[in-house]
Amino acid sequence: MWFKNLQLYRLAPDWGMTLPALDEALAKNPLPGCGGLDRQSLGWVSPRDDDQLVYAANGQWLICLGVEEKLLPASVVNQ
């Protein structure tokens, strides 16, 4: 996976969130996909090809916010 927009954050050591708790919190807002009248939808997606929403390696946690946009043809926009 290649990043289109990468933002890094350093959290305080006493942040207190555990990996399973963060995974559970993110699972409450998955990427739903665009509905009939929605132009854009946001939600959390897995950074890898598995079902986990948080990937942990070497003390680092990776999470991914997914964005789905509905693209309209130019002819529809011109109307």
Side-chain angles (χ1 to χ4, degrees), residues 28 70 73:
K28 294 178 183 177
K70 192 180 292 185

Side-chain angles (χ1 to χ4, degrees), residues 6 9 13 17 34 37-38 44 46 50 54 57 66 73 75-76:
L6 178 66
Y9 296 95
M17 180 69 77
C34 286
L37 299 175
D38 297 334
W44 299 105
S46 175
D50 56 8
V54 182
S75 60
V76 173

Side-chain angles (χ1 to χ4, degrees), residues 6-12 60-61 63:
L6 178 66
Q7 295 181 358
L8 302 175
Y9 296 95
R10 182 177 301 268
L11 301 173
Q60 310 299 316
W61 294 358
I63 58 175

Side-chain angles (χ1 to χ4, degrees), residues 10-21:
R10 182 177 301 268
L11 301 173
D14 59 347
W15 184 44
M17 180 69 77
T18 63
L19 187 78

Side-chain angles (χ1 to χ4, degrees), residues 44-73:
W44 299 105
V45 296
S46 175
R48 299 179 65 187
D49 292 332
D50 56 8
D51 293 332
Q52 295 180 344
L53 295 177
V54 182
Y55 173 68
N58 297 327
Q60 310 299 316
W61 294 358
L62 179 65
I63 58 175
C64 293
L65 178 67
V67 178
E68 185 174 312
E69 295 180 333
K70 192 180 292 185
L71 301 176
L72 299 174

